[in-house]
Amino acid sequence: MIGGLFIYNHKGEVLISRVYRDDIGRNAVDAFRVNVIHARQQVRSPVTNIARTSFFHIKRSNIWLAAVTKQNVNAAMVFEFLYKMCDVMSAYFGKISEENIKNNFVLIYELLDEILDFGYPQNSETGALKTFITQQGIKGQTKEEQSQITSQVTGQIGWRREGIKYRRNELFLDVLESVNLLMSPQGQVLSAHVSGRVVMKSYLSGMPECKFGMNDKIVIDKQGKGGTTDDPKKTSGKQSIAIDDCTFHQCVRLSKFDSERSISFIPPDGEYELMRYRTTKDIILPFRVIPLVREVGRTKLEVKVVIKSNFKPSLLAQKIEVRIPTPLNTSGVQVICMKGKAKYKASENAIVWKIKRMAGMKESQISAEIELLPTNDKKKWARPPISMNFEVPFAPSGLKVRYLKVFESKLNYSDHDVIKWVRYIGRSGIYETRC
Amino acid sequence: MEWASQLCENRGLGSKMTDSKYFTTTKKGEIFELKAELNSDKKEKKKEAVKKVIASMTVGKDVSALFPDVVNCMQTDNLELKKLVYLYLMNYAKSQPDMAIMAVNTFVKDCEDPNPLIRALAVRTMGCIRVDKITEYLCEPLRKCLKDEDPYVRKTAAVCVAKLHDINAQLVEDQGFLDTLKDLISDSNPMVVANAVAALSEIAESHPNSNLLDLNPQTINKLLTALNECTEWGQIFILDCLANYMPRDDRESQSICERVTPRLSHANSAVVLSAVKVLMKFMEMLPKDLDYYGTLLKKLAPPLVTLLSAEPELQYVALRNINLIVQKRPEILKHEMKVFFVKYNDPIYVKLEKLDIMIRLASQANIAQVLAELKEYATEVDVDFVRKAVRAIGRCAIKVEQSAERCVSTLLDLIQTKVNYVVQEAIVVIKDIFRKYPNKYESVIATLCENLDSLDEPEARAAMIWIVGEYAERIDNADELLESFLEGFHDESTQVQLQLLTAIVKLFLKKPTETQELVQQVLSLATQDSDNPDLRDRGYIYWRLLSTDPVAAKEVVLAEKPLISEETDLIEPTLLEELICHIGTLASVYHKPPSAFVEGSRGVQHKRLPARAGSIEYVYPMYSSHQQRAALATAVYLVHLQPQHFYLQPLATSVDISKICSFCHYTSCINSPGLAATTCYFSGSYVNIFSNCKVLEIPSIIPLISSAFIHWKHFIHFSFLYQPGGRTEVQSPQPSSDYSERELGGDIGGSPSMGAGLGAAPAAMPASLGGAPAVGGGLGDLFDLGGGVGMPTGSYVAPKTAWLLAMKAKGLEISGTFARRGGIIQMDLSLTNKAMSVMTDFAIQFNRNSFGLAPAGPMQVLTPLSPNQTIDVSLPLSMSGPVMKMEPLNNLQVAVKNNIDVFYFSCQYPLSLLFVEDGKMDRQVFLATWKDIPNDNEAQFQIKDIHLNSDVASNKLQGSNIFTIAKRTVEGQDMLYQSVKLTNGIWVLAEMRIQTGNPNYTEMELSIKCRAPEVCQFVYQCYELVLKN
């Protein structure tokens, strides 16, 4: 299991050091600094073995988090734990920065004592942790409160405490998708997928039982078969999507999903990620990028890029940014664009073209002339792909929320009393077109 | 008060108060000041002081001097302060054991606290205080906490048992905590179950055979129930534990799989991977025709793909695992090629791993896409990545025949870029393509030759030289090209030198008239001016071949090469199986078994996949490249178990030359260094067969066999056998790189029909070579050392047996045997490096033993032993070491040291090692001595199943210095009187009776008399060994 956990600043100074196992000595702290943080060549793996000791590291801005072990630990678990550790810290004190860590080091030690015991991760749900790790002591708690805390921390529903009350029962569902594309210069889709998340903010009283439904092809098809009275046209009219795979927050009953494909759960209080999913079929690609790069002699490049929006004209895409890479030996750039603003950023070796808003089924174009310095470099310019960023108000996968039902038998509110909000946001993931 | 208000502020959004100030105190006299503050009456001041102490501790300052003062703050009802003090205590208790006792009372008291959080805190902390004296006091509180009413305390206590076990395992067992822990598996609270499982699994790891976890269907059921309810981490503990279970049958296996599959949808990647591990393992037991088997296979792909959208570090772990899964079950991901396409912004470690998997998944169906991608990658910036991409193109060509042409033209395009490392990498892979598709793409040779000057890496130079040599007849200026390399011969790396030697010999055989001078030049460079034994040996062999039988030389050197196999760098199947059992863990990331990187007893246990019913396959006749490894690995294993049965029967007893040829052919086809190492051992044992079955009487086969063995350095052993009486010191020739090994093996091992007639041999050859002065001398030096010592059959040398296993010695594997050669005792060792890093600095030492055996000199391992390499060493032994009687008498305890560690093993030497050459006793003395030794000292033995007559037997025995003094025949029995003298001067007398009337000579009776009767048993063993072999 995890033998120790260290946090360093960018210089390699230790901010937090907690050792859980006897086989990890103080020299491990230095070994990581010398061999990884100060390494002459950047380390090429997140797992490093130094003198039969394994180091797992992740970086958050300029902070290094490293877990150390001498055993054959579950590597995936260690990384998951490190991410979780970051989530917990962020939930307590915001951004993970050197200043924040120094300011909260006592709290961090307290958390580390709680969520990692002898190197075994324990309950790390912030909701539960916040009930008893407060740094204010727990003197005032009554016996009932104490046992409530412990039963929550260890219980089946470790993510939610009992007795939550809201005057207004409300929930927000965000379907957040990032659409990824790799397209050849000729416009052929090399790979495309959507990775989506359903994020829920729940402000519900009691221990509500929820059921979430979406236009999952498997479910829809099954219902279509079952209900004979349904008009076949009607069911086929319903657009359904094929989900390649999905994963759920631990509150979702996985065995039920496995057998009935229904998503039922008791939600945590506040914001959390209900599910993640991935689709690859019938993706709506919101933009199409058509590049044209022409080399005019050895010292000049002509670039023309057309973007086309491909969604309902009534919808508006926002925060559109096209990034056209330029060679390292660029000496000057002249840009003309029909819409938005374009600038050559020498430090980033790219022309950045920004458009605030663009409606569906429109087209826009940029052309640029790039002057090059003559070089002796034999190696050809690698032509990195043109990348794009945007945000659209729909789900490129086609996912639709069909329902989210709330049942709370003990309290006197019903599904109809709950105010529900649903929002769809599609963002660009890695959206690249080779040129 | 001020502090408190600051704290509250701290909790607010804009934290103005900073704990960070504690990090900045560096002034002198700090400890003194802190001491005063710690003893302050004010609570807040105390707390502040403890915080400062902890901050100092964090940055590595020694604040242990404050121990008593900090511990004094422990008695407080302020939980925050208490936690801080505990933190300090955990860090320093070990260095101040006496004072740590002061804390015991508080722990005991806290374990009774009404607040469960405080009880748990106490039990959690006290387990972290690693002081022997304290642990005893903690047993009672721990026992109570294990049965606490509150689950939070119980789950903490469960882990505490593991902590205590780590400090004092005996105490935990004596106190019966293990049973309590087992009971907790049935606890009502899922988290208690999970922690108990984790603790038990860990304890069980250090007791490999204890059956501590005692997994049975009932407990499995409990675990599966808890699996649905516990935290994500708990699910991982349970799944990892489940993976160790062996279901009784396929039905149970299926029902577990069914209950584990829902975990594949968990958001936590570690849960998913652990579930994959359980499924991959239990799937082994399901019949392949079962519907469920297919369903399960389909269910595995999507979650694996989803792992690739996790954070990059997790992607890396996932990709390393997918690499294993793809090798084990390629069908799972065969349609998912696209998801492994490299993204421009992927971290380099993700890119390299994806590339690996892409090659593994490449098939005819997707090759076009893959090639387009690879071409794209070859223009990227990162050198390692580009190289790997170029290499991948070559591998695609070899794997998918239809794509070969496109691959070659892509590679040519890349060569045109003139980017140095791209060109070199491309040439290396093109060489492999030539070997896979001979006579197809030679038109590109001209282009390759243009780039000769830019090659500066040994591998690329060697590849280019190979190409020039192989296609010498098509390259007009081949001699010039090779000559240009020859100028700096001694500055080249071994790999290039060996290749150059072979290439020039090939050239000579193809164009003998123009290149005589060149070949003589290279032969003399290799044999006379080089101190590399590998190179010298190869030089001599060529020389000898060329001078004695040019026809054979041509047949051998220019033999048709076996095609190289499609799949290279696959993980060896037994290792792969073990790694599959470790999915998700570090072992799967490193692709090494845990024993390679975990110290001590943990992880040494090798995990195996459950056996599929009815899958026992006959190993020998498997020739397909894919199965070779498996077959050989099994074969080696069998040789260990039943040496006579395995190799003698199917191959050698029949003296079936064609079979031996095919074996030689077969071993030389191996083009993986790892496999060659295994074969090395195998062929080592094999030499003995040749000596036994008299294959050697057929001269034409000699070069053939020798060529097959040459790259495993057994040639010298072999030539010793071929030249009776000849003897040579085996001075551990330096192993060549795997590249040259495979080349040479391929070049001369692959000629199955030696006796076939050959066209006109180049007439000029024998003359020119005969004229070279070094031929006779050089070879004579090598072979005629013994000068005809009277050893008709030679003393028997047992095949090497494994003495030290790699898993016990951090990757070093040692096998060996003992030999007495012309009065010199030698220990023949094969050292194999099965670890991932280079081994150097070998040394050997013996413990005191019965006859004072000791190394006569240091062990000569001149070059570092790289991974997967084997080296043979002959260590001369003397009898001058210290003496101590051992049990058994012939036991020898050995210590071998290398740069990693010291390893100990013991082995037993045959007593015949100590039989001296002048052990023939005078007849009269024999009679007198026989009478002189009391009859109590006489021991009787029987040797069965011997098919030898007395003459053959006595001849054989004489080879091992057991001398027959007299023989008489009485009543159909031959009576042989024999004497043996040991190195320490002890005489052993023997009377051997052989039934002459019985044509089968099945039984011999042996009476042995000696003044030291304990020796008799071992002398008898020698008789048996010698006579039966």
Side-chain angles (χ1 to χ4, degrees), chain A residues 21-22 44 54 72-73 75 80 83 103 109-110 114 117 120 122 124 135 150 190 245 247-248 278 434, chain B residues 18 58 80 83 150 152 163 195 202 233 265 269 302 306 313 338 349 373 382 384 584 586-587 590:
Chain A
R21 294 280 175 141
D22 204 34
R44 309 202 122 205
S54 300
N72 182 31
V73 297
E80 282 283 3
Y83 302 136
N103 285 343
Y109 275 124
E110 206 175 323
E114 183 60 43
D117 192 3
Y120 289 105
Q122 304 291 305
S124 47
Q135 275 207 293
T150 58
L190 295 173
D245 188 39
T247 60
F248 296 98
R278 183 168 46 83
R434 288 182 178 154
Chain B
T18 59
T58 297
E80 191 192 2
K83 284 182 175 175
D150 194 295
Y152 184 75
K163 294 177 185 171
N195 276 4
E202 177 165 346
W233 314 115
S265 303
S269 310
T306 299
E313 290 87 359
K338 276 189 179 179
Y349 51 82
E373 280 294 307
D382 190 283
D384 285 346
L586 261 182
Y590 292 147

Side-chain angles (χ1 to χ4, degrees), chain B residues 369-514:
Chain B
Q369 277 182 319
V370 173
L371 258 184
E373 280 294 307
L374 291 175
K375 202 173 169 182
E376 198 70 42
Y377 304 160
T379 59
E380 281 218 26
V381 192
D382 190 283
V383 176
D384 285 346
F385 181 60
V386 171
R387 278 174 180 275
K388 202 163 184 172
V390 175
R391 206 159 268 227
I393 296 174
R395 277 170 65 185
C396 285
I398 288 164
K399 204 174 167 191
V400 186
E401 184 159 4
Q402 292 78 359
S403 74
E405 192 147 356
R406 285 230 298 276
C407 293
V408 171
S409 78
T410 309
L411 287 169
L412 283 179
D413 287 351
L414 290 171
I415 287 177
Q416 297 306 338
T417 63
K418 302 281 178 197
V419 179
N420 193 282
Y421 54 85
V422 174
V423 173
Q424 308 211 38
E425 206 63 48
I427 286 182
V428 172
V429 293
I430 286 180
K431 181 216 68 192
D432 284 342
I433 296 177
F434 282 168
R435 287 212 47 192
K436 171 78 181 179
Y437 309 108
N439 304 318
K440 240 179 150 177
Y441 301 110
E442 282 73 11
S443 54
V444 308
I445 289 175
T447 323
L448 302 185
C449 288
E450 287 166 21
N451 293 287
L452 209 63
D453 298 334
S454 63
L455 309 179
D456 52 10
E457 290 161 21
E459 202 182 356
R461 284 172 85 84
M464 194 63 221
I465 292 169
W466 182 88
I467 292 170
V468 174
E470 186 66 20
Y471 299 102
E473 67 275 23
R474 298 171 191 238
I475 306 170
D476 293 336
N477 59 344
D479 49 344
E480 282 169 36
L481 292 177
L482 291 176
E483 199 171 358
S484 68
F485 281 104
L486 208 54
E487 281 160 19
F489 188 75
H490 289 298
D491 301 328
E492 299 283 0
S493 72
T494 312
Q495 188 182 15
V496 179
Q497 288 176 335
L498 286 166
Q499 207 45 251
L500 196 51
L501 173 62
T502 306
I504 291 181
V505 171
K506 282 183 192 165
L507 173 71
F508 172 69
L509 290 169
K510 289 175 176 172
K511 301 181 181 173
T513 42
E514 308 129 55

Side-chain angles (χ1 to χ4, degrees), chain A residues 255-281:
Chain A
S255 38
K256 213 158 181 190
F257 177 75
D258 193 58
S259 55
E260 303 162 24
R261 218 169 159 90
S262 75
I263 303 166
S264 64
F265 52 96
I266 295 173
D269 194 38
E271 184 173 337
Y272 73 103
E273 187 180 288
L274 174 66
M275 74 178 281
R276 279 183 187 221
Y277 56 92
R278 183 168 46 83
T279 70
T280 45
K281 286 202 188 73

